[in-house]
Amino acid sequence: MSYPDVIKPEDLLCPRPAGLYCPPGDFYIDPVRPVDRAVVTHGHADHARAGHGVVAATPETLAIMAVRYGEDFAGRREPIPYGESFTRDGVSVTLVPAGHVLGSAQAVVRWKGLTMVVSGDYKRRRDPTCARFEPVPCDVFITEATFGLPVFRHPDDAGEIRSLLLSVAQFPDRCHLVGAYALGKAQRVIRLLREAGWDKTIYVHGALERLNALYEAHGVDLGPLAPATASGPKDAFAGQIVIAPPSAIADRWSRRFPDPVDCFASGWMRVRARARQRGVELPLILSDHADWDELTGTLDELRPGEVWITHGREEALERWCQLEGIPARALRLVGYEDEEGE
């Protein structure tokens, strides 16, 4: 692949210990340690960290960071709505939807005729809580590979929610306790339940309340919610659905519920051993990341000159690219955790 004016992709973006760095623009994308200037693709803690001098991100991501880290999480904020750009030393950066969580973005970086897209974390299927992924033609596409193995083919979301509601109907004397990560997954499960016709109050762990309120403030209607802390007999939660962070499921906090059916909403629930290890009675295969078909389908659609893989199951996706005649390399960036947001 020949690039404009013999520019190499590494001249525009290159991996460094702090993360993916842009030398001509002097900024990082999703740095894993504090830097002077950062572009942040979304609000999960493995991509969005406090302590940077300047953070450029979507307004939603900046609001999420303020909720998670406090209003002084950075020296200065630069809100960049979807479709808008900023230019620094000749480098243009545009943020477009990634479909991962509220405010998640791909960073489209352009310089001297070269276009590189840093996708961050993304998924291709519809999500009622965030803007849908927008493909952008590019010379280099930088992708995750969290579920970069052919075994990971996520089922239909609506079918997983039907399984949950069927279980609720079958066990009316039990509480269904759903483990879902606080940012993105919890709100998506709630919205999918609403779309499936569950209009009753959904009870939530206190750790979700501020993020739920933020989603509501950005136009995501979550319906009637209540804290899962009400005093009274255990059977008050019989037949109810409670959403909580996965860590709370194994905590003494969960003992307040009547014979709970432990559920976990995650793409990792495709692996039965993981469900057994967590003691999950009802696995719900709901992922906020692209599965194997979405990863390969995206690369087939874009047909970039090169593919860079940030983290995850790099080897299988790199091999797929080779078989398809697309040059690929694994960056093996350190600091991006498969579990965060999943």
Side-chain angles (χ1 to χ4, degrees), residues 10 12-23 26-39 46-47 49 52 118 142 308 310-311 329 331-336:
E10 294 82 358
L12 179 54
L13 290 174
C14 59
R16 290 194 177 177
L20 204 56
Y21 179 63
C22 176
D26 190 24
F27 61 82
Y28 285 84
I29 299 176
D30 290 350
V32 297
R33 62 184 66 167
V35 299
D36 290 339
R37 191 172 189 87
V39 176
D46 57 337
H47 291 255
R49 290 170 166 83
H52 304 309
V118 184
I142 303 176
W308 293 3
T310 56
H311 65 288
R329 58 181 287 202
L331 302 182
R332 296 183 174 86
L333 297 181
V334 176
Y336 302 129

XYZ file of all heavy atoms in Angstrom, residues 10 12-23 26-39 46-47 49 52 118 142 308 310-311 329 331-336:
361
model
N 2.874 5.181 10.628
C 3.570 5.403 11.895
C 3.990 6.863 12.076
O 4.287 7.288 13.196
C 4.797 4.497 11.994
C 4.468 3.020 12.082
C 4.203 2.390 10.720
O 4.232 3.118 9.689
O 3.947 1.176 10.682
N 1.962 9.265 11.593
C 0.766 9.932 12.116
C 0.359 9.394 13.478
O 0.027 10.160 14.387
C -0.394 9.787 11.122
C -1.728 10.404 11.518
C -1.574 11.880 11.871
C -2.750 10.220 10.403
N 0.360 8.060 13.633
C 0.017 7.440 14.918
C 0.999 6.320 15.204
O 1.334 5.536 14.296
C -1.411 6.879 14.895
C -2.566 7.882 14.864
C -3.898 7.149 14.683
C -2.603 8.730 16.130
N 1.435 6.239 16.447
C 2.370 5.183 16.810
C 2.159 4.783 18.269
O 1.797 5.612 19.107
C 3.815 5.631 16.587
S 4.289 7.098 17.518
N 2.343 3.495 18.585
C 2.158 3.052 19.980
C 3.325 3.476 20.856
O 4.488 3.377 20.463
C 2.084 1.526 19.853
C 2.808 1.210 18.589
C 2.622 2.385 17.676
N 2.993 3.988 22.039
C 3.981 4.336 23.049
C 3.497 3.776 24.384
O 2.341 3.369 24.498
C 4.175 5.854 23.125
C 4.882 6.441 21.909
C 5.350 7.854 22.180
N 6.096 8.394 21.056
C 6.580 9.640 21.010
N 6.373 10.465 22.037
N 7.253 10.048 19.964
N 4.342 3.751 25.413
C 3.907 3.198 26.703
C 2.642 3.843 27.255
O 1.832 3.171 27.902
C 5.118 3.456 27.612
C 6.288 3.444 26.679
C 5.790 4.066 25.404
N 2.450 5.142 26.994
C 1.255 5.819 27.509
C 0.033 5.570 26.644
O -1.088 5.873 27.059
C 1.505 7.325 27.617
N 0.224 5.004 25.440
C -0.903 4.754 24.553
C -0.585 5.127 23.123
O 0.585 5.288 22.735
N -1.621 5.283 22.311
C -1.466 5.604 20.904
C -1.195 7.097 20.761
O -2.021 7.933 21.153
C -2.740 5.205 20.156
C -2.645 4.920 18.657
C -1.600 3.842 18.377
C -3.999 4.484 18.135
N -0.041 7.446 20.175
C 0.426 8.836 20.147
C 0.441 9.385 18.729
O 0.762 8.657 17.780
C 1.831 8.920 20.740
C 2.425 10.312 20.748
C 1.837 11.342 21.482
C 3.589 10.585 20.024
C 2.390 12.622 21.504
C 4.148 11.850 20.041
C 3.543 12.872 20.775
O 4.092 14.133 20.778
N 0.088 10.672 18.603
C 0.129 11.376 17.323
C 1.265 12.389 17.376
O 1.100 13.475 17.956
C -1.203 12.069 17.053
S -1.222 13.069 15.540
N 2.439 12.090 16.781
C 3.566 13.033 16.854
C 3.289 14.395 16.212
O 3.578 15.429 16.840
C 4.697 12.275 16.143
C 4.341 10.832 16.295
C 2.850 10.794 16.195
N 0.799 16.083 18.503
C 1.205 16.044 19.905
C 0.021 15.778 20.843
O -0.258 16.526 21.771
C 1.902 17.344 20.311
C 2.555 17.247 21.696
O 2.856 16.115 22.114
O 2.734 18.295 22.350
N -0.676 14.667 20.600
C -1.740 14.226 21.505
C -1.801 12.707 21.504
O -1.255 12.044 20.609
C -3.100 14.818 21.105
C -3.583 14.435 19.727
C -4.229 13.215 19.503
C -3.405 15.289 18.648
C -4.680 12.855 18.237
C -3.847 14.943 17.381
C -4.488 13.725 17.169
N -2.441 12.179 22.519
C -2.658 10.737 22.637
C -4.137 10.434 22.452
O -5.002 11.280 22.703
C -2.236 10.235 24.011
C -0.745 10.129 24.226
C -0.005 11.243 24.622
C -0.087 8.918 24.063
C 1.357 11.155 24.842
C 1.286 8.820 24.279
C 2.005 9.935 24.669
O 3.349 9.835 24.883
N -4.429 9.204 22.054
C -5.808 8.716 21.996
C -5.961 7.614 23.036
O -5.216 6.627 23.029
C -6.175 8.202 20.596
C -6.048 9.337 19.573
C -7.598 7.634 20.577
C -6.288 8.916 18.140
N -6.890 7.813 23.965
C -7.142 6.871 25.070
C -5.864 6.490 25.819
O -5.561 5.307 26.019
C -7.836 5.600 24.548
C -9.256 5.839 24.101
O -9.787 6.935 24.355
O -9.846 4.932 23.482
N -5.096 7.482 26.271
C -3.861 7.152 26.999
C -4.156 6.473 28.325
O -5.156 6.753 28.978
C -3.194 8.513 27.208
C -4.327 9.489 27.171
C -5.314 8.941 26.185
N -3.238 5.583 28.719
C -3.433 4.799 29.946
C -2.745 5.436 31.150
O -2.789 4.878 32.251
C -2.929 3.356 29.754
C -3.725 2.651 28.670
C -1.435 3.324 29.438
N -2.119 6.585 30.946
C -1.534 7.341 32.047
C -1.727 8.829 31.750
O -1.966 9.203 30.594
C -0.058 7.000 32.230
C 0.810 7.330 31.029
C 2.249 6.881 31.214
N 2.361 5.436 31.274
C 3.528 4.780 31.173
N 4.655 5.464 31.038
N 3.566 3.466 31.216
N -1.647 9.688 32.757
C -1.891 11.116 32.515
C -0.932 11.715 31.490
O 0.284 11.479 31.539
C -1.680 11.732 33.900
C -1.988 10.638 34.865
C -1.475 9.393 34.200
N -1.486 12.490 30.549
C -0.700 13.163 29.515
C -1.182 14.607 29.393
O -2.212 14.984 29.953
C -0.831 12.437 28.155
C -0.316 11.003 28.245
C -2.282 12.448 27.666
N -0.435 15.395 28.630
C -0.820 16.799 28.474
C -2.099 16.957 27.670
O -2.925 17.824 27.964
C 0.312 17.581 27.796
C 1.519 17.752 28.700
O 1.353 17.637 29.929
O 2.624 17.970 28.172
N -2.263 16.131 26.627
C -3.416 16.299 25.743
C -3.927 14.932 25.299
O -3.149 14.122 24.772
C -3.032 17.142 24.525
C -4.212 17.578 23.690
C -3.794 18.584 22.611
N -4.966 19.135 21.970
C -5.634 20.202 22.409
N -5.225 20.831 23.484
N -6.701 20.646 21.769
N -5.214 14.677 25.514
C -5.799 13.368 25.211
C -7.092 13.516 24.429
O -7.895 14.413 24.694
C -6.065 12.596 26.503
N -7.284 12.618 23.474
C -8.583 12.396 22.846
C -9.120 11.100 23.433
O -8.437 10.070 23.400
C -8.461 12.276 21.311
C -9.810 11.937 20.688
C -7.897 13.565 20.716
N -10.985 1.903 31.398
C -9.742 1.487 30.751
C -9.387 2.378 29.563
O -8.290 2.272 29.016
C -9.804 0.015 30.336
C -10.964 -0.306 29.417
O -11.962 0.442 29.428
O -10.888 -1.312 28.680
N -10.285 3.265 29.165
C -10.020 4.211 28.078
C -10.042 5.660 28.558
O -9.386 6.517 27.968
C -11.048 4.037 26.960
C -10.914 2.746 26.224
N -10.376 2.644 24.948
C -11.237 1.473 26.572
C -10.377 1.382 24.554
N -10.899 0.655 25.529
N -9.309 8.046 31.624
C -8.671 8.183 32.935
C -8.589 9.645 33.327
O -8.521 10.529 32.486
C -7.270 7.560 32.902
C -7.303 6.021 32.798
C -5.913 5.464 32.516
N -5.835 4.033 32.727
C -6.188 3.106 31.857
N -6.688 3.466 30.688
N -6.063 1.816 32.129
N -5.492 14.112 32.971
C -4.913 14.697 31.763
C -4.995 16.226 31.818
O -5.874 16.799 32.475
C -5.646 14.204 30.518
C -5.692 12.713 30.380
N -4.563 11.928 30.478
C -6.724 11.852 30.155
C -4.895 10.654 30.306
N -6.200 10.579 30.117
N -9.370 5.381 14.547
C -9.213 4.670 15.814
C -10.622 4.392 16.329
O -11.320 5.296 16.782
C -8.417 5.511 16.836
C -8.192 4.703 18.116
C -7.090 5.957 16.237
N -8.017 0.975 12.966
C -7.457 0.476 14.222
C -8.605 -0.077 15.050
O -9.505 0.654 15.454
C -6.707 1.592 14.959
C -5.603 2.151 14.045
C -6.107 1.064 16.265
C -4.853 3.330 14.615
N -4.746 -2.297 12.178
C -3.994 -2.409 13.423
C -4.954 -2.886 14.507
O -6.098 -2.428 14.586
C -3.402 -1.068 13.837
C -2.330 -0.547 12.920
C -1.874 -1.104 11.762
C -1.579 0.664 13.105
N -0.891 -0.327 11.212
C -0.686 0.771 12.011
C -1.578 1.660 14.078
C 0.192 1.836 11.876
C -0.702 2.724 13.949
C 0.180 2.808 12.856
N -5.616 -3.338 18.541
C -5.129 -2.780 19.800
C -4.987 -3.810 20.908
O -3.972 -3.854 21.606
C -6.067 -1.653 20.290
O -7.405 -2.173 20.407
C -6.050 -0.476 19.337
N -6.013 -4.663 21.096
C -6.011 -5.583 22.232
C -7.075 -6.635 22.005
O -7.936 -6.499 21.148
C -6.281 -4.846 23.550
C -7.653 -4.235 23.623
N -8.016 -3.132 22.901
C -8.760 -4.574 24.338
C -9.275 -2.801 23.161
N -9.747 -3.672 24.026
N -1.401 -5.829 11.784
C -0.407 -5.956 12.849
C -1.095 -5.808 14.197
O -2.087 -5.085 14.334
C 0.692 -4.901 12.720
C 0.185 -3.486 12.745
C 1.306 -2.453 12.602
N 2.117 -2.347 13.797
C 2.848 -1.274 14.093
N 2.857 -0.227 13.267
N 3.550 -1.219 15.190
N -0.906 -4.449 17.874
C -0.187 -3.451 18.670
C 0.069 -3.936 20.090
O 1.010 -3.504 20.737
C -0.979 -2.145 18.713
C -1.301 -1.492 17.372
C -2.055 -0.182 17.608
C -0.039 -1.244 16.554
N -0.821 -4.795 20.585
C -0.717 -5.333 21.954
C -0.566 -4.204 22.976
O 0.330 -4.219 23.821
C 0.422 -6.333 22.061
C 0.198 -7.582 21.193
C 1.298 -8.618 21.355
N 0.977 -9.834 20.619
C 1.253 -10.012 19.321
N 1.865 -9.060 18.635
N 0.894 -11.130 18.717
N -1.435 -3.236 22.881
C -1.405 -2.127 23.819
C -1.770 -2.615 25.216
O -2.694 -3.409 25.391
C -2.373 -1.022 23.382
C -2.061 -0.356 22.033
C -3.080 0.735 21.749
C -0.651 0.223 22.018
N -1.066 -2.147 26.205
C -1.272 -2.563 27.587
C -2.198 -1.574 28.288
O -2.082 -0.365 28.112
C 0.072 -2.644 28.338
C -0.153 -2.972 29.806
C 0.990 -3.667 27.690
N -3.159 -2.107 29.064
C -3.998 -1.239 29.870
C -5.463 -1.285 29.516
O -6.296 -0.743 30.238
N -5.807 -1.931 28.393
C -7.205 -2.042 27.999
C -7.715 -3.403 28.430
O -7.244 -4.435 27.927
C -7.381 -1.850 26.501
C -6.870 -0.509 26.011
C -6.000 -0.433 24.942
C -7.262 0.669 26.639
C -5.520 0.790 24.499
C -6.787 1.890 26.198
C -5.918 1.956 25.131
O -5.448 3.162 24.723
